[in-house]
Amino acid sequence: MKKVILLLVIFVFLFSYSIFAVTADEIIQKRDDNEYLKTARVESKMVINNNNRKLEKVMISLIDGNKALVEFTNPMDRGTKFLKREDNLWMFFPDAEDVVKLSGHMLERGMMGSDFSYKDMMESEKLTELYNFEIIEEQEYQKRPCYVIEGIKKQGAEATYYKRIVWIDKERHIGLKEELYAESGKLLKEIVVQEVQEFDHRWYPTKSVMEDKLRENTSTEFIIESIEFNPEIPEGTFSLQSLQ
Amino acid sequence: MSKKHFRSLLILLTLLFLISSSVFAYQFGGDITVGTNTTLFDQEVETTTYQNINLGLELDNANFAVTFKNNTANQEFDILLKKAYIKSSFKNLEIKLGKQPVSWSFGSLINLVDFSLGAEALGQETETKYINAVELNYPVNWYSSLTFVNEFNNNYDKYGFRGRTLIQNFDFSLNYIKQSSTSNSLSRLGVSLKGDIGSLGVYSSYTNMDYQDEIINSDINTNALMVGVDYSFYINQKQGYGNRLMVQGEYHIVKNNAGLPVLLSSLGRAELPFDSGSNIPNGNDYLQILLSNLNYNINDFSSIGVFTLTSLKDGSTALIPNYSNQLNGNTTLRISGAFLSGSQTDLFYSPAKVLNIELSYVF
């Protein structure tokens, strides 16, 4: 009997060890493999909900590492473009045909009135480069087994948020929920992924909802209508010239 | 080249362009605006209504925009051609020919080194910026370019150069503009820059102006300096949420002589109900102006704000409050006003008060 108990203890120990043998960084890396866009062309829309009112923004984005070019196509913003290169953001006003560099503080404002800030939309670094991650628990979320992983900003890293807690689907390695915190511990934003799709063995969120906790009764749905991974992007696309 | 010859050339090039292009990618859209403008002057109220339709068509290598304007006060119907230009590239050189918007904005409330003074002022664009011109643009790299613009106008000759680059993450421009007619000429040479110091947006411009008038045989050379800051932050966070307040301030110093008319032209007088500064005699005194813009986002759909212009010498102030609300669909309500506090000898003086209400629908 003692031998059986001993074997059981060893088995449980080994089983639990094998679970946590996967490190947080490996899980985040697998998530990055799915969600990090090296180059992409994305057609998407944002639906901004404020109390009972809705506002819809439609856009086409080209992404190449830390560079992004976004053009809005909905009637109210038609022709408005953004160029992001590292932390510099430039905006093209279509009526005036002007290109103006936006001030840095604008990067933290809601993009075109949404709950996504310009930084949220354009953050392009891999998360493992910005945060130290650790698994804090395992949990079922949206009926999926998930790792709950906490990331604390690395010293000197230029991350938008001090802390992030992310629920990552164990099997599909995709973030299903994410909470973003200030250094004070205040919850700033929450993103919930509502739909995911598999593209060539790669899972990607196609519908998510962001709530800016600093604003009352608002949320923004971000819906990807089409995505092309690793397209050929012509040289000179991410230039002030191409904004005009 | 005269304006007549320019038009003929433009029509010819447009036809050639249209014939040679077989397939177009295009975007078409516009807006319809109805509004009322009320002026209160010596206890008399005058109200006019107006309707504007803007239509725009953008093709791969051409752009067209026109405004149909109807004003009930003078029963006038007017058509303003805003854009009718073609663009083409030869190796790295890009060419735009035709009626086109030209402004060299960098984010300031007024811009003394713009190609067209008053093309954009207090966050609004004016009709001044739409000119018949040829623009040659040579991009040096992703952030640097050299631009030459020649305007075609029967009343004067005008051209300008602009070099734009990025230095230490500051947007830097070097501009030169010369406008001359048979009796006078004004040239402006200036630099502008815009960037960040910490979380504060900062910008500045320095302009040298040379005004020559052959009739009164005068040659005035003067300088103007501007420094500005902008910042935004959350307020009203007591209950765990907040709204953004955007603050922008600009300080200008110019001499009254040639600097005053340039500064006033930069204000885009359409925003104000009077000829500001018409009572100010020319002289060598320094004129100091403080401009500010406060804008508060009430929610995702509406905002309220106020522009102020203050003459530091006489204390006179112009207030331009504004409110906008995006109603259901693509309809926006805008309300704005203009009120001036100064007396007759002050820079910002007018007994008139203006209130403007308009609804616009974008399609």
Side-chain angles (χ1 to χ4, degrees):
Chain A
M1 186 62 186
K2 278 183 182 175
K3 280 185 180 175
V4 173
I5 292 171
L6 183 63
L7 281 171
L8 194 63
V9 168
I10 291 169
F11 177 76
V12 168
F13 173 78
L14 288 174
F15 180 71
S16 60
Y17 178 80
S18 69
I19 289 172
F20 289 103
V22 183
T23 66
D25 273 3
E26 284 170 344
I27 298 163
I28 295 290
Q29 185 58 54
K30 283 183 178 174
R31 182 201 178 188
D32 272 352
D33 290 345
N34 273 328
E35 296 185 35
Y36 177 76
L37 297 174
K38 196 174 175 189
T39 58
R41 184 185 186 278
V42 184
E43 291 185 23
S44 57
K45 78 176 171 190
M46 289 194 300
V47 181
I48 301 162
N49 300 292
N50 187 314
N51 291 311
N52 293 322
R53 296 170 71 178
K54 280 182 189 284
L55 197 61
E56 196 171 293
K57 311 273 181 186
V58 184
M59 57 195 156
I60 299 168
S61 312
L62 288 167
I63 298 156
D64 184 355
N66 60 10
K67 303 186 283 274
L69 182 69
V70 181
E71 179 174 1
F72 286 83
T73 57
N74 57 295
M76 195 62 97
D77 311 295
R78 187 186 293 120
T80 301
K81 294 183 206 173
F82 291 100
L83 171 68
K84 185 250 179 190
R85 302 246 339 190
E86 295 173 344
D87 283 339
N88 289 309
L89 187 64
W90 305 77
M91 185 171 181
F92 172 73
F93 300 89
D95 288 339
E97 298 193 10
D98 274 338
V99 174
V100 174
K101 185 178 187 294
L102 296 186
S103 296
H105 61 84
M106 295 288 286
L107 296 176
E108 287 161 16
R109 294 185 69 178
M111 183 177 183
M112 306 296 275
S114 74
D115 293 74
F116 291 91
S117 70
Y118 292 96
K119 274 193 171 177
D120 292 330
M121 296 297 287
M122 295 176 172
E123 199 165 63
S124 52
E125 288 82 3
K126 287 188 171 182
L127 289 174
T128 45
E129 292 168 6
L130 301 174
Y131 294 89
N132 290 315
F133 287 101
E134 68 169 312
I135 301 168
I136 54 175
E137 63 175 307
E138 292 173 33
Q139 212 180 67
E140 191 170 275
Y141 181 74
Q142 292 181 1
K143 297 181 181 171
R144 304 284 309 177
C146 289
Y147 295 112
V148 183
I149 295 179
E150 181 184 86
I152 304 289
K153 187 168 87 166
K154 286 181 178 174
Q155 206 166 13
E158 296 217 354
T160 313
Y161 305 99
Y162 176 75
K163 184 175 90 172
R164 54 205 308 154
I165 298 177
V166 56
W167 281 251
I168 296 180
D169 188 318
K170 278 184 175 181
E171 291 159 4
R172 298 181 297 187
H173 299 107
I174 190 165
L176 297 179
K177 179 185 172 184
E178 193 150 11
E179 293 175 345
L180 306 166
Y181 292 85
E183 193 165 0
S184 64
K186 187 181 181 70
L187 176 61
L188 298 174
K189 290 182 179 175
E190 184 181 272
I191 311 164
V192 173
V193 172
Q194 294 184 335
E195 288 173 19
V196 298
Q197 269 186 50
E198 192 175 16
F199 303 86
D200 271 340
H201 308 293
R202 177 179 185 166
W203 289 95
Y204 200 81
T206 50
K207 184 179 179 185
S208 48
V209 178
M210 166 80 95
E211 275 186 45
D212 184 340
K213 298 295 183 181
L214 298 180
R215 307 199 310 167
E216 193 184 36
N217 298 328
T218 72
S219 66
T220 300
E221 295 166 49
F222 183 70
I223 301 156
I224 291 180
E225 299 190 316
S226 76
I227 184 164
E228 185 185 350
F229 296 101
N230 307 317
E232 276 196 25
I233 298 176
E235 197 180 339
T237 298
F238 302 99
S239 65
L240 295 188
Q241 206 51 42
S242 70
L243 271 183
Q244 298 178 26
Chain B
M1 184 187 288
S2 72
K3 198 172 176 180
K4 190 178 170 185
H5 288 121
F6 169 75
R7 279 185 180 160
S8 306
L9 179 63
L10 177 63
I11 291 166
L12 187 65
L13 285 171
T14 306
L15 285 172
L16 281 172
F17 170 79
L18 291 173
I19 290 165
S20 63
S21 302
S22 54
V23 180
F24 295 122
Y26 69 91
Q27 287 195 73
F28 175 76
D31 63 77
I32 300 169
T33 300
V34 293
T36 65
N37 192 284
T38 303
T39 305
L40 178 66
F41 186 87
D42 279 347
Q43 302 199 342
E44 281 185 24
V45 178
E46 185 184 305
T47 300
T48 61
T49 60
Y50 57 89
Q51 301 85 37
N52 296 340
I53 299 175
N54 287 302
L55 296 175
L57 173 66
E58 187 177 349
L59 306 173
D60 277 342
N61 291 306
N63 212 328
F64 304 92
V66 64
T67 301
F68 301 94
K69 303 162 83 168
N70 184 36
N71 193 316
T72 55
N74 44 21
Q75 296 295 314
E76 270 188 12
F77 180 78
D78 197 12
I79 298 175
L80 170 68
L81 185 63
K82 292 164 82 175
K83 297 180 189 176
Y85 69 82
I86 53 174
K87 51 186 176 182
S88 189
S89 298
F90 294 101
K91 293 187 177 176
N92 268 348
L93 187 66
E94 297 180 345
I95 302 169
K96 276 163 68 172
L97 178 68
K99 189 81 178 272
Q100 56 188 291
V102 175
S103 74
W104 294 342
S105 302
F106 61 96
S108 59
L109 293 171
I110 60 174
N111 181 8
L112 271 62
V113 288
D114 206 337
F115 182 84
S116 299
L117 290 169
E120 283 183 32
L122 309 178
Q124 300 290 320
E125 62 177 71
T126 67
E127 293 176 5
T128 313
K129 76 181 303 175
Y130 299 101
I131 58 172
N132 289 307
V134 60
E135 181 190 272
L136 308 177
N137 187 56
Y138 179 77
V140 180
N141 52 38
W142 79 263
Y143 57 84
S144 303
S145 60
L146 299 168
T147 305
F148 169 77
V149 175
N150 193 91
E151 181 178 350
F152 302 102
N153 193 300
N154 286 335
N155 300 318
Y156 53 79
D157 296 320
K158 188 173 181 181
Y159 64 88
F161 295 96
R162 185 190 202 195
R164 188 178 197 181
T165 190
L166 201 61
I167 300 174
Q168 300 285 319
N169 280 339
F170 275 76
D171 178 22
F172 176 85
S173 280
L174 173 66
N175 303 351
Y176 176 76
I177 306 105
K178 180 156 188 180
Q179 178 177 330
S180 52
S181 64
T182 50
S183 59
N184 58 51
S185 71
L186 173 68
S187 62
R188 290 173 285 133
L189 174 66
V191 292
S192 69
L193 74 161
K194 184 175 193 292
D196 297 291
I197 297 179
S199 55
L200 193 69
V202 294
Y203 55 93
S204 182
S205 71
Y206 184 82
T207 314
N208 174 266
M209 295 168 273
D210 189 70
Y211 179 74
Q212 293 180 4
D213 194 318
E214 287 180 10
I215 294 174
I216 57 172
N217 197 25
S218 73
D219 184 352
I220 302 168
N221 192 286
T222 190
N223 300 310
L225 173 71
M226 180 274 285
V227 288
V229 293
D230 60 79
Y231 187 65
S232 63
F233 54 96
Y234 278 108
I235 58 173
N236 186 26
Q237 283 203 67
K238 286 177 189 168
Q239 295 163 42
Y241 62 91
N243 299 46
R244 278 266 178 185
L245 179 70
M246 217 282 280
V247 183
Q248 186 173 8
E250 252 173 57
Y251 168 79
H252 291 258
I253 181 165
V254 295
K255 270 190 180 177
N256 277 6
N257 47 36
L260 179 62
V262 169
L263 184 128
L264 293 176
S265 298
S266 302
L267 280 171
R269 295 183 191 184
E271 287 289 330
L272 300 168
F274 70 115
D275 277 345
S276 275
S278 54
N279 298 316
I280 305 292
N282 281 352
N284 285 320
D285 290 346
Y286 280 98
L287 191 72
Q288 297 174 76
I289 306 286
L290 205 58
L291 286 92
S292 74
N293 175 25
L294 294 179
N295 192 277
Y296 176 69
N297 285 331
I298 300 166
N299 53 39
D300 295 331
F301 307 94
S302 57
S303 67
I304 190 164
V306 62
F307 290 101
T308 65
L309 297 88
T310 303
S311 164
L312 294 184
K313 187 175 181 184
D314 56 37
S316 60
T317 297
L319 285 177
I320 305 169
N322 56 83
Y323 167 80
S324 80
N325 190 348
Q326 189 173 341
L327 309 173
N328 287 334
N330 289 325
T331 308
T332 303
L333 168 71
R334 289 189 192 87
I335 302 173
S336 63
F339 312 95
L340 294 98
S341 71
S343 62
Q344 260 180 331
T345 54
D346 291 339
L347 182 59
F348 296 117
Y349 163 74
S350 172
K353 295 171 177 56
V354 173
L355 177 68
N356 189 268
I357 302 172
E358 67 178 35
L359 268 178
S360 64
Y361 174 76
V362 180
F363 56 90

